[in-house]
Amino acid sequence: MTLMQLEVKRLPHLPLSLPLPAHRALAEWCRAFLVDPTIHATIDALSRALGMNRRTFTRLFRRETGLSFMAWRQQACILVALPRLAAGEAVTSVAMDLGYDNPAAFTSMFRRSLGSPPHVYLKQNPK
């Protein structure tokens, strides 16, 4: 375990990315989501909108993006939030726009995903 921890620390820092699917209808929805993201987007609503059952949708989404829908949605929200936070917008404003009930919920998700709260992450990763 100690060796693994040491090796993980030596791994290169990779920029955040968000894979987009090749499936036309799914890709259109993903691009639209990036324009107006919300944590309230659900698998059931999206699978219905695309005329698929839930199981078919979850398999297709993972095959096309390499991520579960929930992981992709969370990553998308972070990628949309980062430029706004870097520009000095308040965490509260960004969190509410993304559909979080409060800034603490957004900050908790951000910390779980990136290892630190927004203000610390932005100080450590300027750009």
Side-chain angles (χ1 to χ4, degrees):
M1 186 58 81
T2 303
L3 177 59
M4 283 182 21
Q5 290 173 334
L6 292 171
E7 290 297 320
V8 167
K9 288 179 183 177
R10 296 181 59 210
L11 289 173
H13 178 51
L14 299 174
L16 294 171
S17 65
L18 189 67
L20 291 174
H23 184 274
R24 186 190 54 77
L26 193 53
E28 287 175 10
W29 182 88
C30 289
R31 286 186 188 94
F33 182 86
L34 291 171
V35 172
D36 188 21
T38 176
I39 61 158
H40 298 297
T42 65
I43 291 172
D44 292 328
L46 181 51
S47 61
R48 274 192 309 273
L50 295 176
M52 298 176 195
N53 68 44
R54 181 184 177 96
R55 187 172 180 174
T56 299
F57 171 80
T58 57
R59 286 180 177 171
L60 175 66
F61 200 92
R62 185 173 294 279
R63 185 176 70 236
E64 292 280 322
T65 66
L67 299 170
S68 70
F69 173 73
M70 300 212 19
W72 188 93
R73 182 186 66 190
Q74 182 174 302
Q75 185 84 350
C77 286
I78 289 171
L79 287 174
V80 168
L82 280 171
R84 293 176 62 185
L85 295 168
E89 196 167 336
V91 170
T92 300
S93 175
V94 173
M96 295 303 158
D97 286 351
L98 292 175
Y100 285 88
D101 293 332
N102 56 63
F106 171 77
T107 299
S108 177
M109 177 278 298
F110 193 99
R111 183 183 299 117
R112 276 192 316 273
S113 297
L114 298 178
S116 58
H119 71 280
V120 173
Y121 180 85
L122 292 170
K123 284 180 186 174
Q124 294 171 345
N125 300 282
K127 268 191 187 176

